[in-house]
Amino acid sequence: MSTASPIAEPPPRASGLSTFWRSAVGKKALMAFTGIVLFLFVLVHMLGNLQAFRGAPALDHYAALLRVSPGLLWGIRLVLLAAFLVHAVAGVQLWAARRSARPVAYAQYHPVGSTAASRTMIWSGFLVLGFVVYHLLDLTFGVANPDFREGEVFHNLLASLGRGAAAAFYVVAVAGLGVHMWHGLWSMFQSLGVSTSVFTPGLKRFAIAFAVIVGLGFAAVPLAVLLGVVGG
C-alpha cells in the first residue's frame, strides 16, 4: 500500500513591515523620517542651551518648564529613544551592507561625487552616539559631573564645562554632529524624493547652513564657559 507523501506547508510570509525594514529603500526611508524627528529635537535643544547666555534664572527656568508634565516629558523621551535606535541600527546595517558588497578595499581609492561628510557618516555617527551617552551621564544623571546638583542646570553646566578637557570634547563632538547633519539632511531630502534638479542647489545650501548654525550654536556654550563669558 502506498502512502501519500505529506505536502510541505509554504513558509510563513513576512509581514509588510518586516519586508520594508529588510530592504535598503525601507531603511533609508526610516532613516529619513527618524532624522526629521531628531533634527527638530537638536534645533530645539540648541535654542534651549543658548539660554545659558541669559544667566542662571533663564536656563534653570527653561529646564523647569520641561518637567512641568512628567508624563509628556517621558513620552517625548521614548519617541526620541525609538527614533534614535531605529536611525542608528538602520545606518549601521546600510553601512555593513555596502562594506559586504565590496569585501576587498580599493587598491587606489579616488572618490568621485562624494563629500568628506558622506564618506565619514558612520564615524561621525559613532562620535555623536558617544557624545549622547556622555552628555546624559554628565548633565542628566550627574554621574560624570564633578559637582552635580539636582535642578540647578546652570550650575551643573559650569561645573562640567569649566574643565578644559570636557569643553574640548563637547566642541569636537558638536563639530562631528554638524558634519553628520550636513550629509544627513541632504540624504533625507533624497530619500523623501524632494531633491530634483530644480531644488538640489538650494537644498544643498540649506543643509550646509543648517549644519553650520547648529554646530556653532552648540559649540558657543562650552567655549563661552571656558573663556569666562558665561559664568565668569
Side-chain angles (χ1 to χ4, degrees):
M1 179 190 298
S2 62
T3 58
S5 58
I7 300 175
E9 294 184 2
R13 295 181 60 184
S15 67
L17 181 60
S18 175
T19 302
F20 186 72
W21 170 257
R22 288 202 300 266
S23 70
V25 173
K27 285 186 175 67
K28 289 180 180 179
L30 287 171
M31 288 192 71
F33 283 113
T34 55
I36 293 173
V37 174
L38 296 172
F39 289 146
L40 289 175
F41 165 73
V42 165
L43 179 60
V44 173
H45 192 47
M46 181 198 71
L47 295 175
N49 281 5
L50 292 176
Q51 299 302 307
F53 286 96
R54 300 176 59 194
L59 186 61
D60 289 347
H61 178 66
Y62 161 74
L65 287 177
L66 297 179
R67 291 172 170 78
V68 168
S69 176
L72 177 61
L73 176 61
W74 276 104
I76 294 173
R77 284 174 172 172
L78 291 175
V79 169
L80 290 172
L81 178 61
F84 187 85
L85 290 176
V86 170
H87 195 82
V89 172
V92 170
Q93 289 185 352
L94 286 171
W95 174 78
R98 286 193 296 268
R99 294 273 295 182
S100 62
R102 176 169 288 278
V104 179
Y106 291 102
Q108 290 186 334
Y109 178 59
H110 302 288
V112 177
S114 64
T115 64
S118 66
R119 295 191 298 272
T120 58
M121 278 295 281
I122 187 67
W123 308 117
S124 62
F126 282 131
L127 176 61
V128 172
L129 174 61
F131 171 65
V132 168
V133 172
Y134 176 74
H135 183 64
L136 290 173
L137 294 175
D138 182 20
L139 295 176
T140 300
F141 302 112
V143 297
N145 193 290
D147 187 23
F148 186 79
R149 300 178 188 175
E150 188 68 37
E152 298 185 29
V153 179
F154 187 80
H155 166 82
N156 297 336
L157 190 74
L158 297 185
S160 175
L161 299 180
R163 302 168 296 168
F169 175 65
Y170 267 80
V171 171
V172 171
V174 296
L177 174 64
V179 171
H180 195 80
M181 292 184 66
W182 167 20
H183 182 69
L185 278 171
W186 170 235
S187 297
M188 180 185 73
F189 291 133
Q190 289 181 306
S191 298
L192 296 177
V194 180
S195 176
T196 65
S197 58
V198 176
F199 297 115
T200 290
L203 293 176
K204 285 185 175 180
R205 287 193 293 269
F206 171 79
I208 294 173
F210 189 86
V212 170
I213 290 171
V214 167
L216 292 177
F218 275 111
V221 175
L223 289 175
V225 172
L226 197 61
L227 296 175
V229 176
V230 170

